[in-house]
Amino acid sequence: MGLGKTKGILCPILLGIGAVFGFATMKVGYAAPHALSVVAAENTWGDLAAQIAEPDMHVSSILVSPAVDPHLYAPTPDDARRVADATLVVANGAGYDTWMDHLVQASALPQAHYVRADAWAGWHEGDNAHLWYDLNAVADFAQRFEKACEQADPAHAKAYAERARKLQADIASVQAQALALRPHVQGMAVAATEPLFTPLARYLGLDMKENDFQIAIMNDVEPPPIAVAAFEQDLAQRKLKLLAYNVQVEEPASKRLIDLAHKADIPILPLAEIMPQGTHWQIWISSTLTQIGHLLGVAQ
């Protein structure tokens, strides 16, 4: 997501298997200072961490509300205390949640206990920051987080490894679903109002268009007129097979494109940055892949 402020969110209903986080507000309770605990910047990474760490470590997330922009979030003293008391801390990294970097730096937390999604070998400075939509990045994060759990709490190493194996199997299932869809959609021209969709689109072999417009929106600047005109023309001429947009952002230029897509009868894919409560990452992404296939006319 860009640096613009977010608004409300209306997420599509997803199939769930029970809530990982039963929080109705952004702030959540946390374990006592002497208990083993994990603090996540966002609930997406918190969910993945919880599937490995709990019940041996208590996992909580700072950001669970879609009404908050992770880029602009200002941490509170309560957040700082939770990070200082944590056994492990997880975050997206990649410049997406730098406020967590500052909290960790101010705490006594060893760097080995700070697990960021951007620390995998496939990400480089300047790459797309929306790593929860990058299936390989998620698999790598889960592996590194498991090792951090085992190092921090050797007494429960076997339990962490067993839960991590189950999660990795689920991640592999999502990857297999994407790879099965790829031959049917590879090369199709798609676009998005900002680069949120790019990692998943790349995995599917989709041909992402209108990149200049997306980068401008991400950087919270006015898109170049030539980029706007090209985007509108491609929609009007139905050169695009799909338009993805961030439901957490209400931005005039993006709303106009969505309206044009509706008029041109181009399928629209709503995406979000904060994972809906009452689900798991693998269910959320699997549901998204199913929706992509449906919108692109692929029977699954």
Side-chain angles (χ1 to χ4, degrees):
M1 184 169 103
L3 301 180
K5 293 184 178 180
T6 57
K7 304 292 185 181
I9 175 172
L10 291 174
C11 290
I13 298 176
L14 303 179
L15 294 176
I17 60 174
V20 178
F21 305 105
F23 313 131
T25 59
M26 189 182 73
K27 294 302 174 189
V28 297
Y30 60 98
H34 299 294
L36 296 177
S37 66
V38 180
V39 176
E42 303 88 12
N43 69 346
T44 307
W45 300 109
D47 168 67
L48 291 161
Q51 293 186 59
I52 295 173
E54 291 187 340
D56 297 304
M57 292 191 201
H58 172 74
V59 180
S60 64
S61 300
I62 293 176
L63 298 184
V64 302
S65 169
V68 178
D69 186 341
H71 297 274
L72 301 178
Y73 179 68
T76 67
D78 179 58
D79 297 331
R81 183 169 59 253
R82 290 168 61 189
V83 169
D85 291 337
T87 308
L88 299 172
V89 173
V90 299
N92 185 84
Y96 184 79
D97 41 21
T98 55
W99 51 270
M100 182 59 93
D101 295 339
H102 300 322
L103 292 183
V104 170
Q105 289 169 7
S107 74
L109 187 78
Q111 280 298 312
H113 289 193
Y114 184 28
V115 184
R116 299 193 338 179
D118 71 350
W120 81 297
W123 189 87
H124 304 91
E125 190 69 33
D127 287 352
N128 195 288
H130 305 100
L131 292 172
W132 59 94
Y133 281 124
D134 188 317
L135 309 187
N136 293 331
V138 171
D140 180 83
F141 168 84
Q143 182 180 42
R144 289 186 290 107
F145 180 73
E146 175 207 346
K147 298 304 180 186
C149 288
E150 294 176 2
Q151 182 184 47
D153 181 24
H156 297 104
K158 183 177 179 180
Y160 295 130
E162 289 177 353
R163 291 190 290 265
R165 278 194 292 272
K166 182 182 183 304
L167 176 58
Q168 289 288 6
D170 288 345
I171 295 171
S173 180
V174 174
Q175 291 174 319
Q177 180 184 359
L179 291 175
L181 178 59
R182 181 183 172 103
H184 302 284
V185 303
Q186 189 170 8
M188 288 187 180
V190 301
T193 56
E194 58 179 282
L196 182 64
F197 182 44
T198 301
L200 194 55
R202 184 181 297 118
Y203 202 93
L204 293 172
L206 295 167
D207 184 10
M208 179 61 71
K209 303 293 187 181
E210 325 301 347
N211 292 293
D212 289 344
F213 181 97
Q214 295 184 56
I215 292 172
I217 294 296
M218 180 183 69
N219 292 327
D220 199 26
V221 298
E222 195 72 22
I226 190 172
V228 175
F231 207 150
E232 293 181 351
Q233 184 178 44
D234 286 347
L235 287 170
Q237 296 179 359
R238 302 195 65 191
K239 291 183 178 180
L240 303 173
K241 299 296 185 181
L242 179 74
L243 175 66
Y245 78 101
N246 188 342
V247 297
Q248 294 180 219
V249 175
E250 292 183 7
E251 199 277 331
S254 298
K255 289 181 69 176
R256 172 169 169 74
L257 295 173
I258 294 169
D259 290 340
L260 289 173
H262 277 300
K263 292 177 181 178
D265 200 27
I266 293 174
I268 298 174
L269 175 68
L271 296 174
E273 299 192 62
I274 298 296
M275 188 177 72
Q277 296 181 53
T279 190
H280 285 302
W281 174 89
Q282 55 267 44
I283 294 175
W284 183 37
I285 301 302
S286 177
S287 176
T288 301
L289 289 169
T290 298
Q291 189 175 14
I292 291 169
H294 174 74
L295 293 175
L296 292 176
V298 178
Q300 293 178 294

